[in-house]
Amino acid sequence: MTESGSQAWLDALWNKAVATPIDTGRYFSASIQLQVLITVSGNHGVP
């Protein structure tokens, strides 16, 4: 996710993800959405 040619795609993915409300009543979907945001932002660590 560091290639400059992917920036437009990453921006679109980020905008879609943050515009989608998190349904806190649905654990699985909220967890997946959080994992996507962490990954796309580059704030994940190697376990």
Side-chain angles (χ1 to χ4, degrees):
M1 292 193 191
T2 58
E3 296 177 22
S4 60
S6 299
Q7 191 62 49
W9 181 83
L10 287 172
D11 290 344
L13 176 62
W14 180 264
N15 291 332
K16 174 68 175 172
V18 296
T20 303
I22 297 174
D23 183 359
T24 56
R26 301 190 62 112
Y27 175 79
F28 183 74
S29 61
S31 297
I32 295 297
Q33 189 171 1
L34 177 59
Q35 291 173 13
V36 167
L37 290 171
I38 292 170
T39 303
V40 171
S41 69
N43 288 316
H44 58 84
V46 177

